[in-house]
Amino acid sequence: MSLEFTSSEMMSITAARALSNDLICFVGIGLPSEAANLARLTHAPDITLIYESGTLQTRPDVLPLSIGDGELCQSALTTVSVPEMFRYWLQGGHISVGFLGTAQIDRFANLNTTLIGDYREPKVRLPGGGGAPEIATSAQEVFITVKHSRRTFVKDVDFVTTVGFGRDGKARDNVPNIGRGPTLVITDLCILKPDPDTRELVVTSLHPNVTREDVIEATGWDIRFADELEITPAPTHEELAVLRSLKERTHAHHSGQQ
């Protein structure tokens, strides 16, 4: 019997599967945190999760509201200073994967979390970069998870807060001292990876019940599809149960219903 699941659950579970047990993962708040902790609670119990506030090998029982959430420090192996976190752990090359979210992403995986519209007269001001620009620069590779829509998947981001491969796809060429950049983008519709030559994002796998037309309609550029397009495996009963339990605990904790 097939299980019922939402597109958001499909996204988080697919993102969690991308993480393996031996990784050191620098985790962003929101969707990346949900996916990273789901991985820890299922197939990757020994994954090392690091948050920007300096918490190392943290094992939260509920999802944090921010990098300053006490749950992170309380459940961490140890907490170091922010300068040590960035200078030693990140810039020192010790981070396997930086896991990020975004407000806008373009065809070369550049991220915008600064503003929407013109820089001098923006329509919307966003939270800003935080540690994302440094994470994307220094982590060995970057995973991105974000919901798929034309508002988010734009041909050119309004502002490059965090460099993927630059406006022309060549920003990382001949720069040996930085990471590989984005290697995987996971949405509620599909999985995308950068073309090895052009660095433009290409759809490599469609989630169950999603069509090419669904992805085309939700993307702000002429999206390309891999020649051998795969279908993402559906969630298992265990993955759904663990994710739903995690979200229920989180909701009860942050709403004071404990």
Side-chain angles (χ1 to χ4, degrees), residues 142-197:
V142 176
F143 296 167
I144 300 159
T145 186
V146 61
K147 291 192 174 183
H148 211 131
S149 72
R150 280 186 175 264
R151 185 172 66 176
T152 300
F153 278 72
V154 296
K155 185 177 181 181
D156 297 293
V157 291
D158 293 344
F159 185 90
V160 178
T161 309
T162 303
V163 174
F165 296 102
R167 296 286 193 185
D168 58 0
K170 299 178 181 180
R172 293 177 185 266
D173 292 358
N174 304 313
V175 187
N177 62 329
I178 63 174
R180 294 163 58 196
T183 57
L184 190 65
V185 178
I186 299 160
T187 80
D188 49 346
L189 299 181
C190 63
I191 298 172
L192 306 96
K193 296 180 180 179
D195 181 278
D197 296 320

Side-chain angles (χ1 to χ4, degrees), residues 27-88:
V27 189
I29 292 297
L31 293 174
S33 183
E34 183 174 306
N37 281 286
L38 176 59
R40 178 179 62 83
L41 292 169
T42 51
H43 64 277
D46 297 322
I47 189 171
T48 299
L49 302 186
I50 295 178
Y51 286 77
E52 190 176 330
S53 51
T55 53
L56 300 178
Q57 201 168 320
T58 187
R59 305 176 66 85
D61 187 55
V62 298
L63 297 174
L65 290 175
S66 71
I67 59 168
D69 196 313
E71 177 73 15
L72 293 176
C73 187
Q74 192 172 30
S75 61
L77 176 65
T78 189
T79 302
V80 301
S81 68
V82 172
E84 179 179 333
M85 169 62 64
F86 280 86
R87 183 64 189 94
Y88 174 78

